Amino acid sequence: MEKFGKSQPVLRREDIRFLTGKGRYVDDIAPAGALFGYVVRASVAHGKISNLELDDARSLAGVHMVIGFDDLVAAGITKGLDAMQVSNRDGSKGAAPFRPILAKERVRFVGEPVAFIVADTLEMARDAGEMVFYDIDELPVHLDLAPGGEALHKDVPSNLAFDWATGDELATKVAFESAAHHVTLEVTDNRVIANSLEPRGCYAEWDGTRLHACVNGQGVWGAKSNLAKVLNLDADQVRVTNPDVGGGFGMKAMMYPETYLCAHAAMALKCPVRWYSERTEAMLSDNSGRDLVSVAELAFDENYKITAYRVNTVCNLGAYNSQVGQNIQTVLFSKVLMGTYDVQTSWLNVKGVYTNTTQVDAYRGAGRPEAIYVLERIMDRAARELGIDPWELRRRNFIAKDAFPYKTTTGETYDVGDFAKVLAHAEHSADLRGYAERKAQSLSKGKLRGQGLCYYIESILGAPSETAKVAFNDDGTVDIFVGTQSNGQGHETTFAQFLSDQTGIPYDAIYVVQGDSDQIETGGGTGGSRSATVQNNATLATVSNMIEAFTGYLADKFDTAKNDIYFDDETFRIAGSNLTPTMLDCAEMARLDGRQDLLSCKASAELEARSFPNGAHVAEVEIDPETGVVTVEHYTVVDDFGNLFNPLLVEGQVHGGVAQGIGQAINEHVVYDENGQLLTATFMDYGMPRAKDVPFMSFETESVPSTANAMGVKGCGEAGTVGALAALANAVQDALWDKGVRQADMPFTPLRVWDMLQAS
């Protein structure tokens, strides 16, 4: 394919490699002769370590190293895992208890690392793990999503990590006191496990002066700086690479103990060390997602216009702060607190609680799905209680098209939007007029049918700046170096396609280079739906520099003025000449002329503002009241992503996001028993969505180009999940409403739905 127009549905080039078994994942490329790491994990949720015996394990054949917390300290490794803190309402900082790489004196969740073993084979390391003996004096377990209980950390006596708020509490209170209508709903957002197709893994090697850590993460620069800090190295002594990564979803964006342990062992033993998680181990130790309960309130005037919104949330952090954990249900939740509705009075109060469970952090959408879920659930409830059509209630409260740019109550500035137009498109695509007939058909079969609407908006997150570098190779190919990291999104296709569009360089000649801190000077990694927008913005800046450099070169070479040369997206045009050199032609001429300086060009660029993708999700479900089984019959999405780079890849991202939303809504749920033991630690116990659970989806776009970037694009990576949760939950609630069910919370498993019907 030599050239294609912009926004063409180009197939993903990387899929050929993945589907033919040629992917290069971290466990495939570990160095020959690498030793195997194995983590001994806590088997109880809370207790004091009274004795830890490692010598028997050290004595086994094939074992090279067995370490506990004290051994790390002896090696000069005294720092723990870093995490962000939010500010409390009183201006103080949220709690920051020390999170050790290996348990120090106490364990606080089942699966917490206690010891690390390095051996010739994984089997030997496991056998040595059986020889690690430790006595734990068990302590009471705190699992309640509320302050109180046995303190996990001595400096946090009530287990209250933070008490954060935003908005105007007094003005909101006054608005509620004078409201014509007042609606309240408690909304539970259940805990889930990311369960990426490829579990976490890493390897590390040390050449005597430099450390190389290969991690299946979502970027290299955070890992590089953290490894240097914890291991007491200079930054230039650390190289981090990300190979092919089989799914991340936010969970792989953070640092975990195993990366530090492999790196320390490799340095101490002067031999490569590898570690790879098993599935149950991943379920015990990977950051979970969601896990919060909110009480939401809406105030309305006599015309059903919202006058104020109030939310009080309690969220679970797990046993420690994870890297971004405190920010998820606070700062990031607040980004889209008021959604697409024209309301200027709001109050959000969030309390974070430590419990004896695995840490909770970002999961696809990171705060925005949680915020939209709460808002769109109570919008649905308000429509029922006020006796107004839910579609009409949303239209009545939308931010008007001519009100943009619009500053929200929490300080975000929405650049553009036409929510009513998108909703009208969704109404047609979902065949709203035919719903009554479809519901009647379901009833004739003894089934309950429900329809749910969610109108979402999300804020693109992450660093607004990025760098791109383009290098022309001797063989006629071109490398583009990027600071983001694909976890399955199709970056190799997207970035090559965009560069080809802007330069005329054949798509098949462009190769994307990512995930290497030695080859890429800086980068923000992948997360927050930032990659395509921020990275391609940097590519635009790089292409501009390339055009400028080649224009000057051609002017000198052909003795003409720079103003007589222009580039038309494919070739350079030189006034008074029939010469039309391409970028590749210019590079070859420069090479022959010894102008190596022209064969590589880079630029950094920063977005002045963020984009705000939005759209409507419409779900229709059918419920068998005899069994409680929920079936998703129809699913319609109409999104506003602005201009599209590749509609095919965008649709794939939305499909994947909706599938994860269906998973959380209907199948997935983390369950701990009263002792903090994880009961859903295998796929026999933890429900995952399967092909039969996911219907064919109608996906269409109604684009309103963003003004926040030169490309007019809006991120799409997390949008499917942001919209799916409330659409599905509202559909189930709609189906159950006539049966008297007034409180329907995810997950809608057959037993839970059957119990709801029986209780009603």
Side-chain angles (χ1 to χ4, degrees), residues 154 167 179 189 243 249 261 271 282 304 343 377 447 479 489 541 563 573 638 652 744:
K154 63 181 180 180
D189 200 335
F249 312 119
L261 293 168
C271 181
Y304 305 131
V343 180
R377 288 302 308 274
K447 303 292 181 65
D479 291 333
Q489 298 94 332
N563 291 341
R573 303 284 179 161
V638 178

Side-chain angles (χ1 to χ4, degrees), residues 188-316:
T188 298
D189 200 335
N190 51 309
R191 178 189 279 234
V192 292
I193 297 172
N195 282 317
S196 54
L197 186 62
E198 178 202 22
R200 288 189 300 111
C202 61
Y203 69 79
E205 49 191 347
W206 172 256
D207 66 5
T209 58
R210 293 195 82 214
L211 171 71
H212 170 216
C214 179
V215 187
N216 56 3
Q218 294 179 218
V220 296
W221 283 93
K224 176 184 172 77
S225 62
N226 278 300
L227 283 166
K229 180 173 62 175
V230 171
L231 299 178
N232 304 308
L233 298 171
D234 293 333
D236 60 8
Q237 289 183 276
V238 180
R239 176 193 179 200
V240 176
T241 59
N242 293 155
D244 289 331
V245 179
F249 312 119
M251 177 271 292
K252 286 183 181 172
M254 291 77 195
M255 290 294 288
Y256 289 86
E258 296 84 5
T259 306
Y260 297 111
L261 293 168
C262 279
H264 166 62
M267 293 171 64
L269 297 171
K270 298 178 175 56
C271 181
V273 178
R274 62 195 293 175
W275 172 82
Y276 200 64
S277 175
E278 295 181 349
R279 184 60 65 180
T280 291
E281 188 175 19
M283 290 177 158
L284 288 169
S285 62
D286 291 353
N287 292 332
S288 295
R290 317 302 186 216
D291 206 351
L292 61 153
V293 175
S294 302
V295 175
E297 301 171 273
L298 282 173
F300 292 87
D301 67 14
E302 62 278 2
N303 297 314
Y304 305 131
K305 288 278 291 181
I306 304 170
T307 58
Y309 183 44
R310 184 163 56 201
V311 182
N312 287 282
T313 295
V314 181
C315 68
N316 195 345

Side-chain angles (χ1 to χ4, degrees), residues 11 23 36 82 111 130 162 174 261-262 267 269 282 293 342 374 379 432 436 445 514 530 566 667 675 677 684:
L11 293 173
F36 288 81
D82 268 354
E130 296 293 327
F162 60 80
V174 171
L261 293 168
C262 279
M267 293 171 64
L269 297 171
V293 175
D342 185 7
V374 173
M379 284 294 287
L432 185 60
K445 298 182 295 182
Q514 61 182 347
R530 70 181 290 273
Y566 72 93
N667 307 92
N675 298 312
Q677 294 291 335
M684 293 292 290

Side-chain angles (χ1 to χ4, degrees), residues 99-116:
R99 182 184 174 188
I101 295 171
L102 291 171
K104 176 189 178 184
E105 299 175 353
R106 183 185 292 202
V107 296
R108 294 177 172 85
F109 67 96
V110 174
E112 181 170 6
V114 173
F116 187 65

Side-chain angles (χ1 to χ4, degrees), residues 413-481:
T413 299
Y414 297 168
D415 58 332
V416 291
D418 193 343
F419 308 141
K421 183 179 180 181
V422 174
L423 189 62
H425 188 154
E427 181 177 347
H428 174 76
S429 297
D431 186 21
L432 185 60
R433 290 184 177 181
Y435 173 66
E437 181 179 347
R438 294 191 295 276
K439 184 170 184 176
Q441 290 174 351
S442 294
L443 287 172
S444 70
K445 298 182 295 182
K447 303 292 181 65
L448 309 175
R449 195 178 193 92
Q451 183 187 78
L453 168 64
C454 170
Y455 201 104
Y456 79 91
I457 191 167
E458 70 154 321
S459 168
I460 301 310
L461 303 176
S465 62
E466 198 53 82
T467 299
K469 174 183 172 184
V470 175
F472 293 88
N473 302 317
D474 292 346
D475 61 0
T477 62
V478 174
D479 291 333
I480 177 169
F481 298 81

Side-chain angles (χ1 to χ4, degrees), residues 119-142:
D120 287 333
T121 69
L122 182 57
E123 291 72 19
M124 289 178 176
R126 283 180 181 147
D127 288 344
E130 296 293 327
M131 300 300 291
V132 171
F133 298 103
Y134 57 94
D135 295 322
I136 294 183
D137 300 327
E138 293 194 43
L139 295 168
V141 174
H142 180 234

Side-chain angles (χ1 to χ4, degrees), residues 380-691:
D380 187 74
R381 175 56 61 91
R384 295 183 185 281
E385 293 192 4
L386 299 177
I388 183 173
D389 179 78
W391 295 65
E392 172 59 23
L393 184 62
R394 288 169 171 84
R395 288 191 188 95
R396 194 168 295 194
N397 285 282
F398 277 154
I399 300 164
K401 179 182 177 181
D402 60 5
F404 295 94
Y406 178 89
K407 189 169 183 178
T408 72
T409 182
T410 53
E412 296 297 300
T413 299
Y414 297 168
D415 58 332
V416 291
D418 193 343
F419 308 141
K421 183 179 180 181
V422 174
L423 189 62
H425 188 154
E427 181 177 347
H428 174 76
S429 297
D431 186 21
L432 185 60
R433 290 184 177 181
Y435 173 66
E437 181 179 347
R438 294 191 295 276
K439 184 170 184 176
Q441 290 174 351
S442 294
L443 287 172
S444 70
K445 298 182 295 182
K447 303 292 181 65
L448 309 175
R449 195 178 193 92
Q451 183 187 78
L453 168 64
C454 170
Y455 201 104
Y456 79 91
I457 191 167
E458 70 154 321
S459 168
I460 301 310
L461 303 176
S465 62
E466 198 53 82
T467 299
K469 174 183 172 184
V470 175
F472 293 88
N473 302 317
D474 292 346
D475 61 0
T477 62
V478 174
D479 291 333
I480 177 169
F481 298 81
V482 299
T484 57
Q485 174 63 45
S486 179
N487 314 139
Q489 298 94 332
H491 289 182
E492 293 176 42
T493 300
T494 300
F495 296 149
Q497 181 181 358
F498 186 73
L499 180 61
S500 179
D501 276 341
Q502 300 303 312
T503 63
I505 299 170
Y507 169 71
D508 294 334
I510 299 172
Y511 295 90
V512 176
V513 181
Q514 61 182 347
D516 188 336
S517 64
D518 274 5
Q519 296 195 66
I520 306 158
E521 291 184 4
T522 185
T526 290
S529 300
R530 70 181 290 273
S531 295
T533 303
V534 183
Q535 186 64 62
N536 282 333
N537 187 54
T539 298
L540 278 180
T542 304
V543 170
S544 179
N545 287 354
M546 292 163 59
I547 293 171
E548 177 70 17
F550 279 136
T551 297
Y553 167 69
L554 291 172
D556 291 341
K557 187 174 182 66
F558 294 105
D559 193 24
T560 187
K562 289 179 64 175
N563 291 341
D564 290 334
I565 301 173
Y566 72 93
F567 186 71
D568 66 0
D569 286 350
E570 292 189 2
T571 61
F572 287 91
R573 303 284 179 161
I574 304 174
S577 167
N578 62 358
L579 296 175
T580 57
T582 66
M583 284 276 187
L584 290 181
D585 292 335
C586 290
E588 182 59 24
M589 287 188 286
R591 182 177 290 106
L592 294 174
D593 288 342
R595 292 293 304 275
Q596 294 296 316
D597 59 303
L598 296 174
L599 301 183
S600 177
C601 185
K602 69 177 180 180
S604 298
E606 181 171 332
L607 294 176
E608 294 183 1
R610 303 187 186 279
S611 62
F612 294 87
N614 61 90
H617 286 226
V618 185
E620 284 189 28
V621 302
E622 196 173 67
I623 298 175
D624 183 346
E626 297 296 321
T627 63
V629 171
V630 177
T631 304
V632 184
E633 294 291 326
H634 294 285
Y635 202 96
T636 303
V637 181
V638 178
D639 281 315
D640 168 17
F641 291 139
N643 297 326
L644 305 181
F645 293 131
N646 186 327
L648 187 64
L649 268 64
V650 169
E651 185 169 4
Q653 285 293 289
V654 172
H655 283 185
V658 171
Q660 283 184 285
I662 290 173
Q664 179 176 354
I666 296 178
N667 307 92
E668 301 183 50
H669 189 46
V670 176
V671 179
Y672 289 93
D673 71 9
E674 66 276 8
N675 298 312
Q677 294 291 335
L678 181 63
L679 301 182
T680 49
T682 73
F683 286 148
M684 293 292 290
D685 306 296
Y686 186 89
M688 292 284 285
R690 303 187 180 190

